[in-house]
């Protein structure tokens, strides 16, 4: 008995015998091979492209002859004429099996494709979006078997796509009849099925075959900035990334001052909710405009945020988060209509997913970092620090993961720093100070050259030297410590004590003059004593949070440190360690993960199964609440010294020698006073 031809798919390796004449798309579906299709095999969408291979395949035990597939047909020819098919490609819905064949499914034809992140520490994102397009042909109405248009659309979806119940909201329902008639009973629909949904939702409908794309926004809603990535929901590609300042800053720079604002001003929470929602609408509009897409094609948004931002976004008064036991209104993930958050720039039926919070002050942003960095898969003990106005800190490995949030304040983001500015051309980002001459040299964003290299002046002529960005501040203060301009308590010495005229009196303290262009009406860029105190408070909070997690884990050392966050990505590991921001580890064990919270949001946007995953993971993470932990204060105080009052930084000592200097105050600077005033 002769067997039906064998069809082997690569890269999946799936294989099966199929009757002569079976379309490749049908064979793929029967074997569960990941081959895309929007038009259901009608030769319209071109998503089903495959590449047949011919010749001997000893590995597979087949010989594929040139006539293993049906001949190139008129549908393929039409598509090739109109759009062009890559050489060797066929449409899987048109080419039929004629003999044994090996079929390669290229990445762009796979629905659940992996999107490879470019960074060295990258993980791949699997594409499995909650919203997809389906082209469907619907029966015309018939007086003898009266049914509604929506019901016939549902029947067609069931027959042609095996789709179960579809629900529709009124605004979309009103558009079903015109779309069906205009499309001559063929339409493309956008269907959304959340990870916990038993049914699909009709989000939008277009007459005929819709050529456009669907998009999603992954939004990292931070206390200081709101960052968004616009992603193509078919391939995960980031079309555009943009960020704006959070307008709530005017109600308070840090989270607790916003909670206080809500407590002390009736309706204050509503005011902040309105502001942030408006900002998100503005951001969505501008990002769509820059990417030159219709914002109505944005069908989904995923939010990650800390608990206070979470509540203010949702319109929930954050007052409970201002006092122990810091009860969240809900820590579960949320799946909502975008309209419920007044998101009216994007598609009116768009859906929103908000990652779960871990608990108390540990929010959905920490959950997103966990999703992106996967400490629960780590063999060694990893400390992951997402540096922002609040630091999200995770410590863990395969056996256990702990998390806390530490109130670092906005100093790391350049706020509260006299010459601080955001990372933009003209900002000083790298600094070294000669330990003998105490003279600085620096690099600014936009120039590869150092300030003492020939050609520097010309390169920076257009931007100037405008201020110091967050990573620059870390470097300059650490360099001041290495050069003996500042002592371990954080005090800047006088010109006499330090041996440099760059130590300039400022009231009863001193400042270090980094760059002076005042003769040319340019800025005078200094590091003041107050700047150092602000960074000391921030770094102590960060270190104390990490140390608290280490106590809880019962360890004195970690194996590696991952610095995340837009700012964390640019911090020099050596300088962070000189300051004592992070525990002492070998320098090559400090890596940077970029915007891990934003990446976590992108993963949840592109892969609906990741939503299940993170919801399960947060249940297993042990949360440590810094605000009520007495040891936090102890750790905080010990960590104000630079690098630390009591801990030995052995790895650091092997690469840099810190001078033993002490500059007597004789000033009214007193870090403890600020600490006491400091609000959490
Ligand atoms: S499935 Fe749409 S063109 Fe083949």
């Amino acid at each position: 008995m002769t067997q039906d031809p064998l069809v082997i798919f690569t890269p999946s390796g799936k294989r099966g015998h199929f009757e002569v004449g079976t379309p490749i798309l049908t064979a793929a579906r029967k074997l569960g091979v990941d081959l895309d299709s929007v038009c259901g095999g009608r030769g319209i969408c071109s998503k089903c492209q495959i590449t047949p291979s011919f010749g001997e395949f000893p590995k597979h035990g087949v010989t594929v002859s040139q006539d293993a597939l049906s001949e190139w047909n008129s549908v393929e020819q039409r598509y090739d004429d109109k759009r062009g098919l890559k050489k060797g490609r066929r449409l899987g819905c048109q080419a039929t099996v004629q003999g044994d064949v090996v079929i390669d499914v290229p990445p762009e034809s796979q629905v659940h494709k992996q999107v490879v992140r470019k960074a060295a520490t990258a993980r791949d994102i699997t594409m499995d979006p909650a919203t997809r397009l389906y082209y469907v042909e619907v029966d015309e109405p018939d007086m003898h078997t009266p049914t509604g248009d929506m019901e016939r659309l549902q029947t067609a979806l069931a027959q042609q796509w095996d789709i179960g119940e579809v629900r529709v909201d009124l605004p979309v329902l009103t558009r079903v009849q015109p779309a069906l008639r205009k499309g001559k009973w063929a339409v493309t629909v956008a269907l959304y099925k959340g990870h916990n949904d038993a049914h699909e939702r009709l989000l939008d409908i277009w007459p005929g075959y819709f050529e456009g794309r669907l998009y999603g926004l992954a939004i990292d809603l931070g206390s200081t900035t709101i960052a968004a990535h616009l992603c193509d929901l078919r391939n995960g590609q980031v079309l555009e990334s943009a960020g704006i300042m959070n307008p709530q800053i005017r109600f308070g720079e840090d989270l607790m001052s916003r909670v206080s604002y809500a407590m002390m001003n009736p309706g204050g929470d509503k005011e902040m909710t309105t502001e942030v929602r408006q900002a998100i609408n503005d951001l969505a509009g501008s990002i769509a405009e820059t990417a030159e897409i219709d914002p109505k094609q944005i069908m989904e948004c995923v939010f990650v945020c800390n608990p206070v931002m979470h509540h203010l976004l949702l319109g929930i008064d954050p007052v409970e988060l201002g006092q122990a036991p810091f009860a969240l209104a809900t820590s579960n993930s949320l799946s909502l209509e975008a309209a419920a958050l007044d998101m009216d720039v994007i598609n009116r039926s768009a859906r929103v997913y908000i990652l779960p919070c871990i608990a108390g002050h540990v929010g959905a942003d920490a959950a997103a970092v966990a999703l992106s960095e996967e400490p629960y898969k780590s063999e060694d003990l990893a400390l992951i620090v997402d540096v922002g106005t609040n630091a999200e800190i995770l410590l863990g490995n395969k056996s256990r993961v702990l998390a806390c949030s530490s109130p670092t304040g906005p100093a790391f983001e350049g706020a509260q720093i006299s010459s601080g500015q955001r990372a933009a051309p003209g900002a000083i980002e790298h600094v070294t100070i000669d330990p003998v001459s105490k003279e600085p040299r620096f690099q600014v964003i936009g120039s590869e050259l150092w300030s003492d290299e020939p050609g520097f002046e010309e390169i920076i002529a257009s931007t100037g030297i405008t201020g110091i960005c967050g990573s620059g501040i870390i470097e300059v203060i650490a360099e001041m410590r290495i050069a003996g301009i500042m002592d371990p308590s954080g005090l800047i010495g006088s010109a006499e004590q330090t041996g440099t005229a760059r130590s300039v009196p400022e009231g009863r303290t001193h400042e270090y003059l980094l760059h002076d262009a005042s003769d040319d009406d340019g800025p005078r860029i200094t590091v003041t004593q107050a700047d150092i105190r602000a960074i000391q408070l921030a770094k102590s909070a960060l270190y104390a949070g990490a140390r608290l997690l280490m106590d809880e884990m019962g360890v004195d050392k970690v194996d590696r440190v991952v610095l995340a966050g837009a700012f964390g990505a640019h911090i020099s590991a050596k300088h962070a360690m000189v300051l004592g921001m992070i525990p002492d580890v070998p320098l090559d064990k400090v890596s940077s993960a970029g915007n891990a919270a934003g990446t976590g949001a992108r993963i949840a946007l592109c892969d609906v199964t990741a939503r299940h995953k993170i919801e399960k993971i947060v249940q297993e993470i042990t949360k440590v609440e810094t605000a009520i932990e007495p040891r936090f204060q102890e750790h905080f105080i010990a960590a104000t010294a630079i690098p630390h009052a009591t801990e030995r930084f052995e790895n650091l000592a092997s690469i840099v020698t810190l001078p033993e200097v002490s500059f007597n105050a004789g000033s009214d600077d007193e870090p403890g006073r600020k600490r006491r005033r400091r609000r959490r």
Side-chain angles (χ1 to χ4, degrees), residues 171-186:
V172 189
L173 182 60
T174 60
R175 295 176 36 228
V176 168
Q177 291 200 310
L180 281 169
R181 280 152 186 84
K182 192 166 174 204
K184 304 201 168 40
W185 304 99

Side-chain angles (χ1 to χ4, degrees), residues 25 36-48 91 93:
L25 179 64
D36 202 358
S37 160
V38 169
C39 73
R42 293 182 179 83
I44 304 172
C45 72
S46 85
K47 306 282 192 252
C48 61
L91 292 182
C93 62

Side-chain angles (χ1 to χ4, degrees), residues 39-119:
C39 73
R42 293 182 179 83
I44 304 172
C45 72
S46 85
K47 306 282 192 252
C48 61
Q49 294 182 29
I50 48 106
T51 312
S53 302
F54 304 101
E56 296 283 338
F57 294 90
K59 183 174 147 216
H60 300 307
V62 289
T63 303
V64 181
S65 62
Q66 287 296 331
D67 55 4
L69 289 183
S70 57
E71 281 182 10
W72 180 257
N73 72 11
S74 58
V75 175
E76 290 169 299
Q77 188 59 49
R78 194 180 62 217
Y79 185 82
D80 194 25
D81 293 344
K82 254 173 100 179
R83 300 271 164 78
L85 264 178
K86 275 193 191 156
K87 199 163 181 300
R89 290 272 175 91
R90 301 285 306 268
L91 292 182
C93 62
Q94 302 301 311
T96 62
V97 178
Q98 303 296 320
D100 292 350
V101 67
V102 175
I103 300 286
D104 184 55
V105 181
E108 58 274 31
S109 300
Q110 295 169 19
V111 185
H112 303 282
K113 58 184 83 51
Q114 295 238 303
V115 182
V116 180
R117 287 165 60 194
K118 290 198 187 87

Side-chain angles (χ1 to χ4, degrees), residues 600-620:
R602 272 178 55 213
I603 294 171
L605 176 67
C606 294
D607 179 9
V608 74
T609 59
R611 302 180 190 180
H612 274 306
K613 189 162 122 189
I614 192 57
E615 287 165 17
K616 185 165 171 289
I617 289 164
V618 295
Q619 307 286 339
E620 289 158 9

Side-chain angles (χ1 to χ4, degrees), residues 26 31 41 61 72 84 102 105 135 178 189 196 198 227 237 262 326 349 352 432 434 467 473 522 525 625 680:
T26 309
L31 292 174
W72 180 257
V102 175
V105 181
Y135 172 85
V189 291
N196 289 323
Q237 190 194 347
F326 312 109
S349 301
V352 164
T432 63
D434 187 305
I473 289 159
I525 298 172
E625 183 56 73
R680 293 185 29 78

Side-chain angles (χ1 to χ4, degrees), residues 279-294:
I280 291 164
N281 272 330
D282 292 348
L283 181 58
S286 70
I287 203 168
E289 193 180 329
T290 317
E292 297 182 355
I293 65 146
D294 178 355

